[in-house]
Structures are given as C-alpha cells and as structure tokens.
Amino acid sequence: MTVDTPSAGSAENVTFPGVQRIDHVGIAVPDLDEAIRFYTESFGFHCVHQETNEEQGVREAMLAVGDGPRLQLLAPSRPDSAIAKFLDRSGPGLQQLAYTVTDVEAAADALRARGLRLLYDEPKRGTAGSRINFVHPKDAGGVLVELVEPAEAGNPVG
Ligand code: V0V
C-alpha cells in the first residue's frame, strides 16, 4: 500500500504533536438516551458525563469501561450540525477518533507544519472544559481526528 504523506520540512525541523493516548472514539447516534441504554445494557459501559455543546450542536455522553479510552455518543441538538449532516449522509456509526494531547495549540501547529488542515484557527470548547481542534478527514486517511487537551492540563475554553 502506498501512503501519501503531506509535504513536510526535513525531519530535524518537524516536531511531533504530543499525542499521549487515544482519548475517545466518537459515535454518531440519532437518539442519545436510547444509545446510552444500548451501550450500558449490552456491553457494560457506564455513563460518566453528559452535556450539551451548543457551539458544536451536540448532545453528548461519555461512556467508560475499565480505564481504557472512552466512547463518546454524539446526538445532534440541531438540524444544521456536523452530527446531523453525518447521520443524514452516513447513518449512525463511527464519526471521529480523538487523541489526548498535552497542548492543543502546539499539536495543531505541528500538524499544520506537516501540511495537514486543521478545521479551526483557534481551539474550541470541548467536553468538560477541554480544548479541542480537528484534522480534516481528507488529510488523515478518511478519519476525522480530534485533538483534545483536557481541562486539567491547561486553561479551559469558555
Ligand atoms: C465528512 N467526511 C468524513 C466525515 N465527515 N469523513 C470521515 N469522517 C467524518 N466524520 C467526508 C465526507 O464524506 C466528504 O467526503 C468530505 O469529508 C467532505 O465533506 P463535506 O461535505 O465538505 O464536509 P462536511 O460538511 O460533511 O463537514 C465535515 C467536517 C465537519 C469534518 C468538516 O463534520 C466538521 O466540521 N467536524 C468537526 C466538528 C464536529 O465533528 N463536531 C461534532 C463533534 P467525499 O464525499 O468528498 O469523499 S463535537 C465533539 O467531538 C466534542 C464537543 C468533544 O469531543 O468534546
């Protein structure tokens, strides 16, 4: 398989984005309460957090099992949101893969330097006061990649 790598500078002047771990996997769902029920009753996840993010147009729930990455269930809170568009086009399913980073601005800069398109010029507010940005799926092998700087690691946005 041939993989096209975005144009980048020479190895010595390119920094890495500071990815620490997989933070969560985001799943688009039409009905949040029904999806929470499905994942808790079928797989033994438990819901650790819920909120509505008006800017992103989502009602979301974080589900945990053990100490591994979390599942983020994402339901649209309005019809013009990214999740509503995703559901219309693709139906329910995997929408994003999120990485924990130490510094979301530094991570975004490092990825921009490699030629990847970031969706936002500045970080937005994510779950539980985290700071987030996204890599365009067309620049990341067809995967919408989210960068998450947890609130504890820096100053929350908004
Ligand atoms: C679209 N495409 C995807 C995709 N969404 N590919 C993989 N995964 C996805 N999730 C493909 C689509 O099929 C097209 O492919 C192409 O990208 C461009 O599509 P488009 O029509 O131009 O773009 P849109 O309008 O569908 O927008 C796609 C993006 C949008 C990624 C730009 O969804 C976005 O802004 N997402 C970031 C915000 C977000 O996802 N918020 C909800 C989660 P073809 O047909 O050209 O081949 S909020 C959240 O995660 C929070 C709060 C948190 O974690 O804390």
Side-chain angles (χ1 to χ4, degrees), residues 21-156:
R21 68 186 80 88
I22 294 174
D23 190 276
H24 64 263
V25 175
I27 299 174
V29 302
D31 182 320
L32 189 66
D33 296 331
E34 192 181 308
I36 293 171
R37 211 163 25 249
F38 174 72
Y39 280 96
T40 54
E41 291 177 4
S42 302
F43 297 107
F45 280 84
H46 57 281
C47 184
V48 293
H49 181 76
Q50 277 194 65
E51 71 179 70
T52 297
N53 185 321
E54 294 295 354
E55 186 177 30
Q56 294 291 331
V58 292
R59 287 186 61 221
E60 58 133 319
M62 271 304 177
L63 272 55
V65 66
D67 56 5
R70 292 176 170 184
L71 284 190
Q72 184 184 44
L73 304 178
L74 297 156
S77 66
R78 52 171 202 268
D80 63 343
S81 62
I83 295 300
K85 192 168 179 185
F86 183 91
L87 287 169
D88 284 347
R89 181 164 42 205
S90 310
L94 294 180
Q95 191 258 350
Q96 57 167 264
L97 176 63
Y99 299 132
T100 312
V101 296
T102 44
D103 177 334
V104 69
E105 278 148 326
D109 284 346
L111 293 168
R112 284 190 194 99
R114 289 167 185 267
L116 278 64
R117 282 169 295 166
L118 275 289
L119 294 185
Y120 306 133
D121 292 338
E122 301 292 335
K124 303 272 191 194
R125 185 189 185 285
T127 304
S130 59
R131 307 167 82 225
I132 62 173
N133 206 334
F134 295 86
V135 180
H136 196 286
K138 291 296 177 191
D139 289 355
V143 177
L144 175 61
V145 170
E146 181 182 346
L147 308 170
V148 182
E149 179 188 321
E152 313 87 73
N155 299 318

